[in-house]
């Protein structure tokens, strides 16, 4: 591996906004002299003062020694022009997200800095290849994409453009590591790793809302308490800001020639049009005004559990759920595979409970002729999940719905009944995340290991999407997406060739 930038080497950061100031803090704490420049008069000086206060605070909290805090603060200085950064061996630009403005800056820097200095961009959406095009030495331009807030978020995507010299991105990887960050390597493609592979997390939630599966609070609760995500998609979009989230979706969609996978949502466009941008404007999907009461998730009222259930065939992923039913006192009997439910199902007396395979419960009724079908959603871990989503066939009677609900409640789950949408919430989202990650891996955008690492460290997913897809089984994930395609009928639900191949070669457990 190439050596990291020596700590004696100066680092320049251009743009002293939210990201630039954070990157300057990281570099100064790593021991570099940091030169900070901003085109807005006084902005760099103000950022230097704020950084000194930040270092003081870190010292008072015991995170830095008083001496280290003083030394870090002394290493950061504001400069008056971009050309004043001439002595830097690494320049990280974090200015406005505009291709032409960034290109102009890089050209100016190119003639100022030494021949061996690296020019890195913190862009979240622009092509590194396009940024470097036309420069005298495009090989020294690469992406160094930090996440917000840069001092706290561990991930750095090191992005290689078509012309980037291999030594340059390797130096950035080693440097990010020496700064205490977790670097991953990516090629310059729309959204790089995280902003691309995370699209389904938002996109499927917005689709579920458009299909009126349930309300945001219920879908959020299901994604947190069954899916294991730290935040639900709607509360996360409210935190990110709908203007930002919508702009990222649009930019990936436009950069992929309007691929249906990334089609933005009209619901989100309306929020942006209304100025309901989320927390920062006091209103988004939720009311963030002080004193506003957060809406509760829709949870089914207590229902009577059956005394016994029978599992037909292999329980597969539902085994821990059955174990919970048994531990809660329900007798669990084993029966042979039922011809109408060859993938395994639970007979709860009046209801047939099965794991969603991407079809609606009503579609399963149409195929089997069984009216009382209740589908359960995926959980990250059925052994510990607090909540589970279900959907009942349109033909399912109330007694059967109550029986299925009671069985799950007795096993300790809060039950959220969604409308009978294809793939429910967690399965649909995770299948699409796994599919997107598989496609990114197939296209060589990053290694599967780096994709999983990026999604865990950049957006806090409880499991990397590739490993998660493998745990569910490639065949099952492919089936879910295939069924979603039939149900929704657009090009959004295309099985990645990598996933299809894994499904065919049997790397997936039998479904
Ligand atoms: P910001 O608006 O907080 O800061 C940008 C700063 O750049 C401003 O202080 C502005 O005066 C300065 N600036 C604009 N044009 C300039 C020029 N030509 N020369 C020198 N300074 C100039 O923006 P933020 O959020 O810090 O974003 C900066 C970059 O980082 C963008 O490329 C953005 O896409 C990227 N980014 C942003 C993230 C975020 O969550 N905010 C996360 C990761 C990347």
């Amino acid at each position: 591996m190439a050596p990291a930038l020596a700590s004696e080497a100066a680092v320049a950061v251009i743009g002293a906004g939210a990201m630039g100031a954070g990157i300057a803090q990281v570099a100064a704490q790593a021991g570099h002299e940091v030169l900070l420049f901003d085109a807005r008069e006084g902005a760099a000086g103000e950022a230097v003062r704020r950084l000194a206060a930040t270092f003081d605070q870190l010292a008072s909290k015991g995170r830095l020694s008083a001496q280290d805090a003083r030394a870090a603060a002394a290493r950061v200085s504001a400069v008056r022009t971009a050309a004043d950064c001439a002595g830097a061996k690494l320049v990280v630009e974090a200015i406005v997200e505009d291709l032409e403005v960034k290109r102009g800056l890089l050209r100016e820097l190119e003639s100022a800095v030494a021949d061996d200095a690296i020019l890195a961009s913190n862009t979240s959406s622009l092509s590194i290849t396009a940024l470097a095009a036309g420069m005298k030495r495009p090989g020294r331009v690469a992406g160094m994409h930090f996440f917000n807030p840069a001092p706290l978020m561990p991930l750095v995507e090191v992005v290689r453009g078509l012309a980037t010299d291999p030594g340059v991105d390797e130096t950035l990887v080693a440097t990010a590591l020496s700064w205490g960050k977790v670097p991953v390597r990516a090629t310059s493609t729309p959204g790089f790793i995280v902003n691309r592979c995370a699209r389904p997390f938002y996109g499927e939630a917005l689709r579920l809302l458009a299909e009126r599966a349930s309300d945001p609070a219920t879908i959020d609760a299901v994604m947190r308490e069954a899916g294991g995500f730290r935040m639900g998609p709607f509360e996360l979009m409210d935190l990110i800001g709908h203007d930002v989230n919508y702009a990222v979706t649009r930019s990936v969609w436009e950069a992929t020639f309007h691929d249906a996978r990334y089609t933005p949502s009209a619901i989100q466009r309306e929020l942006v049009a209304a100025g309901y941008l989320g927390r920062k404007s006091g209103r988004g999907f939720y009311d963030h005004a002080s004193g506003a009461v957060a809406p509760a998730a829709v949870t089914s009222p207590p229902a009577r559990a059956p005394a016994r259930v029978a599992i037909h065939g292999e329980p597969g992923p539902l085994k821990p759920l059955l174990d919970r039913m048994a531990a809660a006192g329900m007798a669990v009997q084993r029966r042979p595979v039922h011809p109408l439910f060859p993938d395994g199902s639970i007979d709860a007396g009046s209801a047939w409970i099965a794991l969603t395979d991407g079809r609606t419960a009503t579609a399963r009724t149409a195929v089997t002729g069984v009216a009382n079908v209740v589908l359960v959603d995926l959980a990250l871990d059925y052994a510990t999940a607090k909540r589970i989503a279900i959907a009942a066939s349109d033909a399912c009677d109330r007694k059967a719905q109550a029986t299925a609900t009671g069985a799950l409640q007795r096993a300790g789950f809060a039950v959220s009944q969604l409308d009978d949408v294809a793939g429910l919430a967690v399965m649909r989202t995770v299948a699409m995340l796994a599919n997107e990650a598989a496609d990114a891996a197939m296209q060589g955008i990053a290694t599967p290991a780096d994709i999983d690492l990026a999604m865990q460290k950049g957006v806090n997913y409880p499991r990397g999407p590739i490993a998660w897809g493998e745990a569910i089984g490639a065949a099952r994930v492919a089936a879910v997406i295939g069924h979603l395609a039939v149900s929704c009928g657009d090009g959004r639900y295309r099985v990645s060739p990598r996933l299809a191949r894994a499904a065919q070669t049997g790397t997936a457990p039998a479904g």
Side-chain angles (χ1 to χ4, degrees):
M1 192 196 252
L5 195 70
S7 61
E8 305 79 55
V11 173
V13 179
I14 317 286
M19 294 307 294
I23 296 165
Q25 180 186 334
V26 172
Q29 277 183 250
H32 297 277
E33 184 199 342
V34 179
L35 307 167
L36 194 54
F37 169 67
D38 196 290
R40 189 164 59 80
E41 184 75 28
E46 176 54 30
V48 171
R49 278 188 293 282
R50 269 189 277 112
L51 279 176
T54 302
F55 290 130
D56 271 353
Q57 267 171 10
L58 289 173
S60 64
K61 287 184 191 157
R63 307 234 178 93
L64 276 182
S65 73
Q67 194 186 0
D68 286 350
R70 270 196 307 276
R75 280 194 286 270
V76 190
S77 52
V79 296
R80 293 173 54 82
T81 67
D84 291 339
C85 300
K89 288 287 187 227
L90 166 63
V91 184
V92 185
E93 74 74 19
I95 67 165
V96 60
E97 188 77 340
D98 180 302
L99 180 68
E100 286 315 318
V101 180
K102 282 190 196 286
R103 288 175 79 155
L105 173 71
L106 288 172
R107 279 197 180 72
E108 188 183 347
L109 287 167
E110 164 169 70
S111 50
V113 297
D115 282 354
D116 61 347
I118 295 176
L119 301 178
S121 172
N122 185 49
T123 179
S124 16
S125 65
L126 301 173
S127 156
I128 298 300
T129 304
L131 280 175
M135 289 180 64
K136 281 190 229 114
R137 291 167 175 267
R140 60 156 125 180
V141 178
M144 196 175 193
H145 183 215
F146 290 79
F147 287 72
N148 192 11
L152 298 182
M153 295 298 286
L155 188 69
V156 176
E157 292 179 328
V158 173
V159 186
R160 208 168 47 248
L162 266 186
T164 305
D165 290 337
V168 165
D169 62 335
E170 288 308 314
T171 299
L172 292 180
V173 166
T175 302
L177 264 178
S178 77
W179 291 2
K181 295 294 175 190
V182 176
V184 290
R185 298 170 176 82
T187 56
S188 176
T189 46
F192 311 137
I193 304 174
V194 171
N195 276 337
R196 172 200 173 151
C197 292
R199 290 336 310 147
F201 189 67
Y202 316 108
E204 292 312 310
L206 289 161
R207 283 261 174 146
L208 285 166
L209 193 63
E211 292 170 30
R212 304 184 58 171
S214 193
D215 55 73
T218 305
I219 297 172
D220 275 351
V222 168
M223 295 301 288
R224 275 193 320 266
E225 296 170 29
F229 291 92
R230 200 172 288 181
M231 291 180 85
F234 297 103
E235 52 193 350
L236 183 53
M237 284 184 273
D238 266 13
L239 176 67
I240 294 168
H242 291 285
D243 50 345
V244 174
N245 192 261
Y246 180 63
V248 176
T249 303
R250 277 197 70 110
S251 102
V252 173
W253 178 61
E254 277 157 16
T256 53
F257 310 107
H258 296 181
D259 187 331
R261 268 202 193 139
Y262 313 107
T263 306
S265 156
I267 295 177
Q268 195 169 39
R269 185 181 55 195
E270 284 292 285
L271 287 172
V272 174
Y276 294 175
L277 304 181
R279 280 199 202 178
K280 63 185 171 190
S281 70
R283 182 159 177 187
F285 283 114
Y286 297 99
D287 184 354
H288 299 280
S290 69
V293 181
V298 174
T299 303
S300 300
R304 237 177 62 181
R308 65 184 61 79
V309 296
I311 170 74
H312 287 263
E314 288 306 316
L318 293 184
K319 168 130 193 345
L321 184 145
L322 271 174
D323 291 345
R324 274 174 77 164
M325 288 183 173
M330 280 175 273
V332 177
Q333 297 168 342
R334 296 205 56 127
R335 301 257 174 83
V337 175
H338 194 284
L340 292 178
F341 294 94
D343 291 346
S345 65
I346 301 169
D347 178 355
S350 57
W352 285 91
I353 304 173
L355 177 62
T356 173
D357 66 358
R359 283 177 291 180
T360 60
T362 303
R364 305 278 290 256
T365 292
V367 172
T368 58
V370 175
N372 292 336
V373 176
V374 175
L375 298 180
V376 291
D377 199 0
L378 182 71
L380 171 66
D381 180 1
Y382 287 107
T384 55
K386 294 198 185 78
R387 182 176 296 272
I388 195 82
I390 62 168
S393 166
D394 287 350
C396 185
D397 64 39
R398 289 195 170 277
K399 182 162 165 276
Q401 294 183 32
T403 304
T405 301
L408 292 162
Q409 287 172 335
R410 172 73 85 78
F413 295 95
V415 175
S416 286
Q417 183 162 349
L418 309 186
D419 192 34
D420 186 23
V421 290
L424 288 163
V426 181
M427 180 65 99
R428 176 164 169 171
T429 306
V430 172
M432 286 296 279
L433 288 171
N435 193 52
E436 193 62 44
D439 236 31
M442 179 196 74
Q443 292 163 0
I445 287 158
T447 63
D450 270 4
I451 293 171
D452 274 359
L453 189 61
M455 302 315 284
Q456 289 171 285
K457 299 294 180 189
V459 269
N460 292 320
Y461 285 2
R463 201 164 187 180
I466 292 189
W468 206 342
E470 282 166 2
I472 300 167
R476 196 183 298 279
V477 174
V480 167
I481 293 170
H483 287 139
L484 280 163
V486 173
S487 159
C488 301
D490 64 23
R492 183 182 190 87
Y493 301 100
R494 299 193 305 277
V495 178
S496 160
R498 184 181 193 270
L499 196 72
R501 208 157 118 188
Q504 282 150 5
T505 53
T507 45

